[in-house]
Amino acid sequence: MAKGPFNDTVMNHFMNPRNVGEIEDADGVGEAGSPVCGDMMTLYLKIADNKIVDAKFKTFGCGAAIASGSMATEMLKGKTLEEASRMTNRDVLDALGGLPPAKEHCSVLAEDAVRAAIEYYQKKKGS
Ligand code: FES
């Protein structure tokens, strides 16, 4: 097979994405839409003692968005909320070993969804 623009890590997370789905009793839910392409991602967080104990995502997005959601949810597990809110799309890109420049915006979907989910949780808690 000819080598495409995506590296093996990206292909692995695209072909075999981790943490796809919903968390029914999620503590935080965040939705993000890309202004670049109009694709969407929804992220679900389970939070206990200020830590993310589970994370799942769904996306109507491209392969790079699927890989970004998969990697981001893996990275989120075990993080404190403070650590998670500092996570940027750069961190996701680095963990994926990079995306082609035209696809970097897809990782922003993951960052935006994480922020929205944390915000939702904090609002719900009233803090
Ligand atoms: Fe829309 Fe990748 S092209 S998320």
Side-chain angles (χ1 to χ4, degrees):
M1 204 167 79
K3 202 138 171 62
F6 299 108
N7 70 42
D8 290 347
T9 307
V10 174
M11 283 311 287
N12 179 309
H13 279 264
F14 165 56
M15 302 293 275
N16 179 26
R18 294 18 159 218
N19 314 308
V20 172
E22 289 180 31
I23 299 176
E24 278 203 7
D25 54 347
D27 299 300
V29 181
E31 206 172 59
S34 173
V36 181
C37 63
D39 288 339
M40 307 282 299
M41 184 179 296
T42 311
L43 189 95
Y44 303 84
L45 297 177
K46 194 82 199 134
I47 297 163
D49 294 332
N50 205 44
K51 267 205 176 145
I52 295 174
V53 291
D54 200 10
K56 287 195 195 288
F57 79 101
K58 286 196 309 200
T59 184
F60 292 104
C62 67
I66 294 169
S68 298
S70 172
M71 183 57 90
T73 46
E74 284 291 276
M75 291 166 75
L76 283 169
K77 287 189 216 171
K79 278 199 179 7
T80 64
L81 288 182
E82 290 70 33
E83 291 166 342
S85 52
R86 282 199 302 268
M87 195 172 100
T88 67
N89 79 303
R90 248 311 120 201
D91 298 325
V92 177
L93 282 175
D94 286 348
L96 285 172
L99 285 169
K103 286 284 170 183
E104 287 193 353
H105 75 271
C106 313
S107 65
V108 177
L109 264 187
E111 176 186 327
D112 287 351
V114 172
R115 287 194 207 280
I118 292 174
E119 230 167 75
Y120 171 107
Y121 170 74
Q122 282 167 343
K123 262 201 199 121
K124 204 175 71 170
K125 261 190 34 184
S127 59

